[in-house]
Amino acid sequence: MSIGYLAILVCGLVCMGLLDVRFRLVLAASGRGARAALVLAIGLAFFLAWDLAGIALGIFHRAENTVSTGVLLAPELPLEELVFLGFLCYLTLVLYTGALRVVARRTARGAPGAPAAHAASAGSRREARP
């Protein structure tokens, strides 16, 4: 019985939270925290139901190891799985929101590689040289 894996997952969650607070991406975004928490809860519930269905069908099994706590929330469902699913959902929201912000800033600055509406029409106005 060890808390190694759980400790790594919790550290990952803390780091994700620090990124969220620093850049105000998901839960720390003003006015969107409740909506983000709801999305996180829905994602966690979906993946937990997915895991429980896999366990009921005999697809998922828990293997004995030396890095897990050994705490089971249900047969074949360790505590670490719930924390991992929360981390996975939170990571996805942080990455998605961060990517949207990067794209929006590039578009606003007119950075190279940013989609521009006039780029296609600029090529059609070329005049042939004699």
Side-chain angles (χ1 to χ4, degrees):
M1 183 169 175
S2 171
I3 62 166
Y5 182 49
L6 183 61
I8 290 171
L9 288 172
V10 169
C11 285
L13 272 169
V14 168
C15 290
M16 204 61 52
L18 291 173
L19 281 172
D20 184 12
V21 169
R22 166 64 177 92
F23 296 105
R24 299 184 192 281
L25 294 170
V26 181
L27 296 173
S30 60
R32 294 192 324 223
R35 185 171 51 180
L38 178 64
V39 170
L40 272 173
I42 291 170
L44 184 60
F46 172 79
F47 284 118
L48 190 56
W50 182 284
D51 273 4
L52 291 173
I55 290 168
L57 292 171
I59 298 169
F60 300 151
H61 299 282
R62 183 181 72 88
E64 291 295 326
N65 58 62
T66 59
V67 297
S68 297
T69 60
V71 176
L72 295 178
L73 303 175
E76 303 293 326
L77 183 67
L79 171 65
E80 292 85 2
E81 183 68 12
L82 183 65
V83 176
F84 172 74
L85 293 176
F87 171 76
L88 181 69
C89 293
Y90 194 30
L91 172 67
T92 302
L93 283 175
V94 167
L95 288 175
Y96 178 75
T97 308
L100 285 179
R101 186 170 295 172
V102 167
V103 168
R105 284 189 180 173
R106 282 188 160 203
T107 303
R109 287 192 321 215
H118 65 281
S121 62
S124 62
R125 289 187 279 184
R126 284 190 189 162
E127 295 180 18
R129 293 187 179 202

